[in-house]
Amino acid sequence: MYSRLLRTKPMGSMAHGSDDLTELGEGSGVGLAKVLTTVDLVSLGVGSCVGTGMYVVAGLVAKAMAGPGVILSFIIAAMASILSGVCYAEFGVRVPKTTGSAYTYSYVTVGEFVAFFIGWNLILEYLIGTAAGASALSSMFDSLANHTISNYMITHLGTLRGLGKGEDTYPDLLALFITLLVTVIIALGVHNSVGFNNVLNVVNLVVWVFMIIAGLFFLSAKNWESGNFLPYGWSGVMQGAATCFYAFIGFDIIATTGEEAKDPNTSIPYAITASLVSCLTAYVSVSVILTLMVPYELIDGSAPLMEMFAVHGFLWGKYIVAVGSIAGLTVSLLGSLFPMPRVIYAMSQDGLLFRCLSHVSVLTHTPVVACVVSGSLAAVLALLVSLRDLIEMMSIGTLLAYTLVSVCVLLLRYQPDENTDTHQFTSEDDGGDLNNAELPTKDDHMLIGDGDGSASYHTGGTEGEGDDSDFHTGRASLLKRILGGHYYTLRLRLGIPSASARPTPATGRTVTRCTLLFFITSFLLWSTVIFGVEQGAGAAAVFSGLTATLMAGSLVKLLIVIIQQPESGMKLPYMAPCVPFVPAAAILVNSYLMLKLSPLTWARFTIWCFIGLLIYGCYGVWHSTLELNAREQQAHASSYQRYDDNLDAFSPEEILPPQDQEERPYQGWSAPEERGNIQQEDQDGEQEQYEGEGDGDGYQSSRGRTNHGFKEED
């Protein structure tokens, strides 16, 4: 079971083939056209973010959570998004040709279980994003109609209790209709055109400039005075930041469409950074204008930017903002619904979800079943759940998915490369003296220039570049500039390996354990701080503070142990800077923001994860494409075994020399000896296959010979 959970998808399966999902046109059998520039990707990211984030989230958080402190909430959420974004960008560069975004990245690099969990959370993100976009559009139309739509539904359909936070909501039939309409459009093959997206973003830009200029005539500094800037304190600001994280989800849209980019290795990282900065500028400026125009307690929760002009009697401003709302929310809704069937398609193609969901229509070249199922679920959510609850639920799914992406990047940086000789360096044990890893063994694949290892060459294709290349991601140069001559002293005391050191399976396992402990301990730390220190009193708060201090020390120790391990020599066009500090900071910030969300949100999220684990445990793990391939290989191995039993009287282990048994190639980020018995059986099957082939072909290697072969030679 351990080997099943950690098995990875072969990189070769990511090549374009006849079964690629394509929407170029009817009967088209070619892959997606590489036509998107960096500007196009930025437009996609900004369009998917700014709609609901600017027109809904800003007012909702300002009214109910943070007051004018929503400005700080957006800044904190943006910082967390940037930390996760750089990790996401490296993932995108590692596997640029994907249809499943982070799900496919993790399946190729880390393992099946983590991939399923990330994919399941991405489905939740897109599902609730679609429902939230439809609900926001419904609220905007209701506001334009002076709330006659909602009043009509409440009068004739009644209200629903228990789905909101102590507030009554009504069955939103308009949101249901909007969701189903967009679902039909997507299922019919009308893809999210870049030109259409750019036009809507231009409308958004014009309306944003209008709001900033027109709002300057209605500002009142009294709205920020007398403690009104932080009416809910810093706790409210952090809770608002957790909710505002929903507004920074554009970079996984960029990754999903990255297969169509002309140069994904550079376009994806730059587009992610540019879209995050653009969205932050829009959110902060709009929040400043909104909270200075209207007191936070009087902000309209459903259509805040439209109503802020209506409060001052400027109705023309309300209708101009309404045009921008329609444009922004429409492109945001399309941006959420468009990639969701693709993630479901990718997971069902791999067998982790039901295979019927991977059916692609011959007429429309779209995964019709996945579109219908996902659109119907989103429509039900839009009908029954309030907009506020939808936004909070989406934040927790996004935060956890991006946290796992940061964990994956941290793991991959310290694992041996598959094409590198992993036995060039040795260590006593998993946590032993890792400085010995710098010493070369007697290996004829290594050339040594001088004693400090500054001119070494390895067969893995990575050239040692001396100490300057030790941290090619930026850490060495940054620390050198800051510390100067103390850099080498600090490096020696921390036990940081030299540039020539390369990871081994032992050091890879050490980083894996430390990273998983770091992930778990971060949640325990913030749980202690939030529920013990912030909400406790007296001796309990003091005890919680001491416990939190010990946990913080443990996190520092884990980081030091990770730093002491050699990094992979693989170089990518873009790599997250300052590893392991940036991924570690992303894990800490995201876990804190997740724990600031409401208990009801956690309850709903737990139910969602439980459903996903049931699907994976009862269906996905047994019907996975990798599982079916493994069974087929096992069947072939069994047939070879029966054939060789008639020829041989000894096992393959007796044929293999001892050194060949020890120096098996590295099989991934999990060490070979931890992969369970399945891999051993596969290897035995392959060796038996060699024996069977050797008998017929006169294979001259001792590894492939059988008893019958030796007699023929004699």
Side-chain angles (χ1 to χ4, degrees), residues 51-68:
T52 310
M54 186 167 71
Y55 292 102
V56 178
V57 174
L60 189 148
V61 173
K63 180 180 177 63
M65 300 179 188

Side-chain angles (χ1 to χ4, degrees), residues 210-220 289 293 309 312 314:
F210 168 80
M211 285 189 294
I212 301 302
I213 296 176
L216 295 176
F217 296 95
F218 303 100
L219 303 184
S220 175
I289 295 297
M293 285 183 63
F309 286 108
H312 294 276
F314 185 33

Side-chain angles (χ1 to χ4, degrees), residues 368-440:
V368 176
V369 178
C371 287
V372 172
V373 171
S374 58
S376 300
L377 289 175
V380 172
L381 285 176
L383 175 70
L384 300 178
V385 185
S386 66
L387 180 60
R388 174 177 175 176
D389 293 339
L390 287 171
I391 290 175
E392 286 204 6
M393 283 184 66
M394 185 170 183
S395 293
I396 193 172
T398 307
L399 284 166
L400 183 58
Y402 294 168
T403 303
L404 293 176
V405 167
S406 302
V407 169
C408 293
V409 169
L410 188 54
L411 289 174
L412 292 173
R413 281 294 192 90
Y414 292 91
Q415 305 306 321
D417 300 332
E418 292 183 358
N419 59 345
T420 302
D421 186 356
T422 58
H423 295 276
Q424 292 173 358
F425 308 102
T426 60
S427 59
E428 297 294 331
D429 49 35
D430 292 354
D433 184 9
L434 296 169
N435 290 330
N436 293 333
E438 304 175 17
L439 300 177

Side-chain angles (χ1 to χ4, degrees), residues 243-428:
T243 304
C244 288
F245 198 91
Y246 160 82
F248 295 96
I249 60 164
F251 50 82
D252 59 358
I253 306 291
I254 294 172
T256 304
T257 57
E259 188 176 346
E260 301 169 82
K262 292 181 178 178
D263 187 8
N265 289 337
T266 56
S267 294
I268 291 177
Y270 291 144
I272 287 174
T273 305
S275 62
L276 290 175
V277 172
S278 302
C279 292
L280 176 62
T281 304
Y283 295 151
V284 170
S285 59
V286 167
S287 299
V288 170
I289 295 297
L290 174 64
T291 54
L292 285 176
M293 285 183 63
V294 184
Y296 73 92
E297 66 273 10
L298 299 180
I299 292 175
D300 186 272
S302 58
L305 300 187
M306 290 168 48
E307 295 300 324
M308 73 179 182
F309 286 108
V311 168
H312 294 276
F314 185 33
L315 295 181
W316 276 107
K318 173 180 177 178
Y319 295 125
I320 292 176
V321 174
V323 175
S325 298
I326 295 174
L329 295 175
T330 300
V331 72
S332 180
L333 177 59
L334 287 171
S336 296
L337 187 54
F338 180 71
M340 177 167 51
R342 290 174 175 254
V343 177
I344 296 175
Y345 167 84
M347 296 181 70
S348 57
Q349 275 284 93
D350 294 329
L352 301 186
L353 292 180
F354 305 108
R355 295 274 183 181
C356 61
L357 296 174
S358 63
H359 174 71
V360 178
S361 172
V362 178
L363 297 177
T364 62
H365 295 275
T366 57
V368 176
V369 178
C371 287
V372 172
V373 171
S374 58
S376 300
L377 289 175
V380 172
L381 285 176
L383 175 70
L384 300 178
V385 185
S386 66
L387 180 60
R388 174 177 175 176
D389 293 339
L390 287 171
I391 290 175
E392 286 204 6
M393 283 184 66
M394 185 170 183
S395 293
I396 193 172
T398 307
L399 284 166
L400 183 58
Y402 294 168
T403 303
L404 293 176
V405 167
S406 302
V407 169
C408 293
V409 169
L410 188 54
L411 289 174
L412 292 173
R413 281 294 192 90
Y414 292 91
Q415 305 306 321
D417 300 332
E418 292 183 358
N419 59 345
T420 302
D421 186 356
T422 58
H423 295 276
Q424 292 173 358
F425 308 102
T426 60
S427 59
E428 297 294 331

Side-chain angles (χ1 to χ4, degrees), residues 423-575:
H423 295 276
Q424 292 173 358
F425 308 102
T426 60
S427 59
E428 297 294 331
D429 49 35
D430 292 354
D433 184 9
L434 296 169
N435 290 330
N436 293 333
E438 304 175 17
L439 300 177
T441 59
K442 294 180 180 180
D443 194 317
D444 55 359
H445 294 293
M446 176 183 294
L447 299 176
I448 301 178
D450 48 17
D452 60 0
S454 59
S456 62
Y457 175 75
H458 300 282
T459 58
T462 304
E463 295 184 2
E465 299 175 2
D467 292 335
D468 290 339
S469 67
D470 193 5
F471 302 106
H472 51 268
T473 58
R475 183 171 63 188
S477 58
L478 179 62
L479 288 177
K480 275 186 176 182
R481 285 195 292 266
I482 296 176
L483 300 177
H486 300 287
Y487 167 73
Y488 295 99
T489 303
L490 177 64
R491 218 176 111 170
L492 181 63
R493 291 183 177 179
L494 290 178
I496 298 176
S498 68
S500 60
R502 289 292 174 262
T504 65
T507 62
R509 289 195 302 273
T510 300
V511 173
T512 299
R513 293 165 184 161
C514 290
T515 302
L516 296 179
L517 284 174
F518 190 94
F519 176 73
I520 297 172
T521 306
S522 64
F523 276 92
L524 296 177
L525 169 65
W526 294 127
S527 299
T528 305
V529 170
I530 294 172
F531 303 109
V533 178
E534 293 181 0
Q535 301 180 7
V542 174
F543 178 76
S544 299
L546 293 175
T547 305
T549 303
L550 292 176
M551 290 182 182
S554 300
L555 292 178
V556 174
K557 174 62 177 176
L558 290 172
L559 268 182
I560 292 176
V561 173
I562 293 176
I563 293 172
Q564 292 174 342
Q565 315 309 313
E567 284 193 48
S568 170
M570 180 183 295
K571 292 187 178 182
L572 302 171
Y574 177 84
M575 304 183 76

